[in-house]
Amino acid sequence: MATIKLAILRHTVAKDGTYKIRIAIGHRSETHYIVTKYKVNSPSEFVDGVVVRLPNAHQMNIELRKLLNDYEDRLDRVPSPEDYTCKELRDLLKGMKPHTSVTTFEQVSLKYQKELTEDGRGSYAKMLANCMRLFHDFNNGDVFLSEIRPDTISQFERYLHRSGVSQSYCNMNMSMVRTIINRAIRAQLITYEVHPFIYWTRPADDIRELDISVEDVRLIRDSEPHLKKQRLGRDIFMLSYYLGGMNLIDLLSVNFKGVKVLEYTRYKSRNMKRSDKRISFTIQPEARALIDKYMNRNTGRLDFGYKFQYKNFLSYVTRSIKSLAEELEIDDAQKVCFYSARKSFVQHGFDLGISLETLEYCIGQSMKANRPIFNYLKIMRKHADAAIRQIIDNLSAPTTTPPEDETSV
């Protein structure tokens, strides 16, 4: 069993003639040491682990006791100390962060928001900031991590439901709170005998049926609206559909000049380290025509003549598409938005019998690990090209619209 105590080494004298006080770790009949910032002038000033005969001895003993308690707490947090040698255990304890009960939820959240912003994931950082605000309002202020218990989480979920938010929105914020708590646990800022989320199970999200039929997509494709914004909405919607449900932020970031085979990583996924989520497929002629129509010849990027911020442009595009859907008298026109192109692409492909793995690859949600990525891209590109071509061709002879009582993907 490992032991921890304060000690000095009588035979080890510092250059200034003092003796450093150390944390002595005894394990497997060996002893290894961690040097502290505290020191005495001679061995006689340190007796049985206590500093004596110094003017500041009382304060030093208080601080040393606190430090010793911290290392004892670190040892308690090591799952199986017997699995380590004495030196390994010393290095492990030295590298562990001090456990503290004074770290707050807001401190961990703000640090994570900063990291997300630095990694280019500002949108998620903003959502996290909103979650922090909700949790702050629920608790009437910031809260220590040590005060968050299972009943806190249960009451927070009830608080969200009482505010009238959707189940999806509630799930999103609950998951973000859990993310912050788990980050604090991994950083060794807090330990829980019972995890605050032990009794919480994520309910099913609200189903967002945003896809539209093949016939409705064909209506949008073949429409000739008089309003400029509706023509723009039509073209952007169809370009996303032709490019495998590509998101607007990704469309705007690609340099299309001279590109025949499109390779990109979704903005949403590019900073995730779990796997390389690059997508690669051939740009079909229908998409190329729209790209050439709007591509800036100097930059190679799409230019729709809208000079405001991305968020405003997305809202403008959504309103334009919705306006066109209403004019075309598409069923449930209010649900039609830019994202409907992505949802419809997947639904139509699924109804054609295209494998989910291929569809997931096309839209950038495939999770493939331990594969040579360039070989994988080359293999999947052939499947993606065939799938996209089949889905586009199906607009001319629609066969994929399921009966109304069937469930959409």
Side-chain angles (χ1 to χ4, degrees), residues 147-381:
E147 296 177 340
I148 302 176
R149 299 180 175 84
D151 64 313
T152 309
I153 300 308
S154 176
Q155 291 300 319
F156 179 57
E157 184 177 31
R158 293 184 63 227
Y159 170 81
L160 291 174
H161 282 308
R162 288 197 304 270
S163 65
V165 301
S166 68
Q167 185 63 59
S168 298
Y169 187 77
C170 177
N171 291 348
M172 180 184 70
N173 283 282
M174 293 291 289
S175 296
M176 286 183 176
V177 171
R178 182 173 59 184
T179 295
I180 295 302
I181 290 174
N182 286 340
R183 285 181 66 86
I185 293 172
R186 287 195 297 271
Q188 300 173 1
L189 298 174
I190 188 69
T191 55
Y192 295 101
E193 291 186 10
V194 178
H195 194 291
F197 275 82
I198 189 171
Y199 301 121
W200 186 74
T201 301
R202 180 173 180 138
D205 289 339
D206 296 331
I207 297 176
R208 299 179 65 197
E209 295 186 357
L210 300 178
D211 59 285
I212 58 178
S213 68
V214 174
E215 290 83 355
D216 289 338
V217 172
R218 191 171 73 240
L219 272 176
I220 292 175
R221 181 197 65 181
D222 297 339
S223 65
E224 294 292 342
H226 297 293
L227 295 178
K228 179 181 177 181
K229 70 173 185 178
Q230 291 179 341
R231 294 196 297 273
L232 183 96
R234 173 201 61 196
D235 290 346
I236 295 178
F237 183 93
M238 292 309 304
L239 182 56
S240 173
Y241 188 88
Y242 294 150
L243 293 176
M246 195 170 181
N247 285 330
L248 182 60
I249 195 167
D250 295 316
L251 281 173
L252 297 175
S253 66
V254 173
N255 182 344
F256 286 100
K257 187 185 295 186
V259 173
K260 294 182 179 179
V261 175
L262 179 61
E263 280 194 17
Y264 76 100
T265 301
R266 291 177 66 200
Y267 175 83
K268 183 177 181 180
S269 307
R270 65 184 58 166
N271 289 299
M272 295 181 179
K273 299 179 181 179
R274 287 175 294 183
S275 62
D276 191 332
K277 296 184 179 180
R278 277 186 289 167
I279 309 160
S280 177
F281 53 75
T282 303
I283 297 176
Q284 299 298 316
E286 293 85 350
R288 188 76 247 180
L290 290 173
I291 290 169
D292 291 342
K293 179 178 179 179
Y294 290 102
M295 185 180 73
N296 184 301
R297 304 304 171 187
N298 296 320
T299 66
R301 300 182 187 278
L302 299 178
D303 184 356
F304 298 102
Y306 194 93
K307 304 302 180 183
F308 298 100
Q309 294 181 347
Y310 167 77
K311 186 177 180 180
N312 294 333
F313 183 54
L314 177 59
S315 297
Y316 176 75
V317 170
T318 297
R319 292 195 303 270
S320 300
I321 293 171
K322 201 175 299 294
S323 171
L324 177 61
E326 291 172 349
E327 183 170 298
L328 296 174
E329 298 182 350
I330 290 176
D331 291 340
D332 297 325
Q334 283 300 313
K335 78 176 183 181
V336 181
C337 59
F338 178 81
Y339 192 62
S340 297
R342 182 178 179 84
K343 295 282 284 188
S344 300
F345 173 87
V346 176
Q347 182 66 58
H348 299 168
F350 180 76
D351 293 336
L352 279 167
I354 297 171
S355 72
L356 284 176
E357 181 183 33
T358 299
L359 292 171
E360 287 176 344
Y361 173 81
C362 289
I363 65 174
Q365 290 191 191
S366 182
M367 297 276 295
K368 299 298 174 191
N370 301 320
R371 284 191 177 183
I373 188 62
F374 292 108
N375 292 340
Y376 176 57
L377 283 175
K378 187 175 180 181
I379 293 169
M380 289 304 298
R381 183 188 303 151

Side-chain angles (χ1 to χ4, degrees), residues 5 12 23 43 48 54 61 92 100 105 116 121 124 126 130 143 145-146 199 217 229-230 279 319 333-334 353 355:
K5 64 180 181 179
T12 304
I23 303 289
D48 295 330
L54 285 178
N61 286 323
L92 180 62
T100 173
F105 180 87
L116 289 168
R121 300 177 64 193
Y124 187 71
K126 289 179 180 177
N130 183 65
V143 60
L145 292 171
S146 57
Y199 301 121
V217 172
K229 70 173 185 178
Q230 291 179 341
I279 309 160
R319 292 195 303 270
Q334 283 300 313
S355 72

Side-chain angles (χ1 to χ4, degrees), residues 284 354 358 380-391:
Q284 299 298 316
I354 297 171
T358 299
M380 289 304 298
R381 183 188 303 151
K382 293 190 298 183
H383 296 289
D385 289 350
I388 294 172
R389 188 67 258 165
Q390 187 178 0
I391 292 170

